[in-house]
Amino acid sequence: KQEVTQIPAALSVPEGENLVLNCSFTDSAIYNLQWFRQDPGKGLTSLLLIQSSQREQTSGRLNASLDKSSGRSTLYIAASQPGDSATYLCAVSDGGSQGNLIFGKGTKLSVKP
Amino acid sequence: SQTIHQWPATLVQPVGSPLSLECTVEGTSNPNLYWYRQAAGRGLQLLFYSVGIGQISSEVPQNLSASRPQDRQFILSSKKLLLSDSGFYLCAWIAQGPGEQFFGPGTRLTVL
């Protein structure tokens, strides 16, 4: 059974710092991996989708990498801003027509001005 | 562009009362649709998914049911709510599975 773990559970950094969020999964047979952002009381916003054949994806100040063989992904946030404060969730899909996602519990990020 | 709606946004219901949450998607056809629950201090749990009209799969045994009466409409229901049904309910869709999944704004359900 696939399990997704995110470390750390919470992170507080000063504004401007570069940071890395970690995600690990137990079964390397994934189809894709998706990073989301969730603001308090809100739905999930998709940040980046990495297909299993890809090594990384970039969007603005965000860069996500995927090492399928070791069961790891990282989300790199450059030059963090207070507006980046949110919970970041990692999820993997094991393929199949259903496209079901298995989620980690998230990392709660706080960027202090 | 595609849009996903959920209503109501918040709901407070007594134990034993019925429930109906609605999710609709605009701008796409034949999406895969999903219901998740996010309980306090816990991760997102997939409750139901649907790959087409009238096709519902349940991931966990529970007090809830789901229906898909139209291509872009997904409904979550219960005949009698339990305290443990409280949580944040999220609807999501994929244009074709597996692919990038998009979420709605969610419904906060409190059962008293």
Side-chain angles (χ1 to χ4, degrees), chain A residues 23-30 33 51-55 65-73:
Chain A
C23 172
S24 62
F25 44 95
T26 55
D27 187 346
S28 61
I30 65 168
L33 183 145
Q51 302 293 350
S52 62
S53 58
Q54 297 175 320
R55 298 284 294 184
S65 66
L66 174 64
D67 184 342
K68 200 172 76 165
S69 61
S70 68
R72 295 186 180 188
S73 176

Side-chain angles (χ1 to χ4, degrees), chain A residues 31-32 34 36 38 41-49 51 89 93 95-101 103-105, chain B residues 32 34 36 38 41-44 46 49 51 59 88 90 94 96-106 108:
Chain A
Y31 191 86
N32 60 43
Q34 201 167 346
F36 295 88
Q38 186 176 28
K42 305 293 185 182
L44 276 64
T45 300
S46 178
L47 298 174
L48 291 164
L49 172 72
Q51 302 293 350
L89 294 158
S93 171
S97 62
Q98 301 89 347
N100 297 354
L101 291 178
F103 281 84
K105 293 187 176 180
Chain B
N32 285 6
Y34 307 83
Y36 292 86
Q38 189 175 36
R42 302 178 66 178
L44 272 85
L46 178 64
Y49 66 89
V51 299
E59 284 294 292
F88 192 47
L90 290 157
I94 293 179
Q96 288 185 359
E100 190 170 8
Q101 197 160 130
F102 299 96
F103 282 74
R108 173 74 57 190

Side-chain angles (χ1 to χ4, degrees), chain A residues 11-16 19 80-85 109-113:
Chain A
L11 181 64
S12 182
V13 300
E15 182 177 5
L19 59 99
S80 59
Q81 303 170 359
D84 295 330
S85 298
L109 173 65
S110 176
V111 181
K112 305 295 186 184

